[in-house]
Amino acid sequence: MTVAVEKVLYTAHATAHGGRDGKVASNDGKLDVVVAPPAEMGGTGNGTNPEQLFAAGYAACFQSALQVVARRARADVSGSTVTAEVGIGPINGGAGYGLEVALVVSLPGVGDRAAAEELVAKAHEVCPYSNATRGNIKVDLKVA
C-alpha cells in the first residue's frame, strides 16, 4: 500500500559522495558527516553509517509522535526516551540486504504497562517513519 502525502510541508535534501565510505551532507550545511562501514561489516568504523542515521531519525520522529498521542490522551511522557535499533543483513539468500528495527520506549511517567503499550501502539500509527516502513520491514515495539 502506498501512502500519499496530501501536502508536502518540508523537503529535506542530502547528497552522498562515495556511498557507504564517503560523506553525506545536507544542502543547508547542518548535516555534514563522514560515513564508513562499521567494523562488523568489514569497514573501519571511522564514521557514522546509514543505519545510525536512520536510527537517529526514526527515534526522534517516534518520540515526537509519542508526545502527540500522549497530549491527546492527557498522559505524562516527560522523561521518556525512544531508542531505535536498526539491524542490517542479507535477504533473499544473500541477493540483497534488508533492514529491521526495534523501537525501545521508556515511559517512566506512565505507571500502567497496558497504558504505556497503548501509547506506543498509537504513536506507531502516527509516526511518519512507521508509516513509511509499515509492511516493508519488521518493526518491533518494546516498552522498557
Side-chain angles (χ1 to χ4, degrees):
M1 175 179 94
T2 301
V3 177
V5 174
E6 293 174 12
K7 177 183 177 186
V8 174
L9 301 175
Y10 169 74
T11 301
H13 299 266
T15 302
H17 300 274
R20 286 184 164 274
D21 204 0
K23 176 182 166 179
V24 177
S26 60
N27 66 323
D28 62 5
K30 292 180 181 177
L31 178 71
D32 190 350
V33 295
V34 171
V35 290
E40 296 86 348
M41 293 178 65
T44 65
N46 292 333
T48 190
N49 60 65
E51 292 70 39
Q52 288 175 327
L53 295 170
F54 184 70
Y58 203 160
C61 189
F62 197 88
Q63 177 88 42
S64 291
L66 182 64
Q67 291 168 341
V68 167
V69 299
R71 193 168 37 254
R72 291 176 186 161
R74 293 187 164 88
D76 179 14
V77 294
S78 59
S80 64
T81 60
V82 175
T83 301
E85 301 170 354
V86 175
I88 183 172
I91 59 171
N92 300 326
Y97 287 86
L99 301 174
E100 66 178 31
V101 175
L103 296 173
V104 183
V105 184
S106 173
L107 295 162
V110 180
D112 180 53
R113 184 164 188 87
E117 289 173 348
E118 184 176 344
L119 288 170
V120 169
K122 286 181 178 177
H124 191 48
E125 295 300 316
V126 172
C127 176
Y129 276 65
S130 292
N131 288 329
T133 59
R134 187 171 291 106
N136 296 309
I137 66 172
K138 178 182 172 189
V139 178
D140 286 329
L141 304 175
K142 301 176 182 179
V143 175

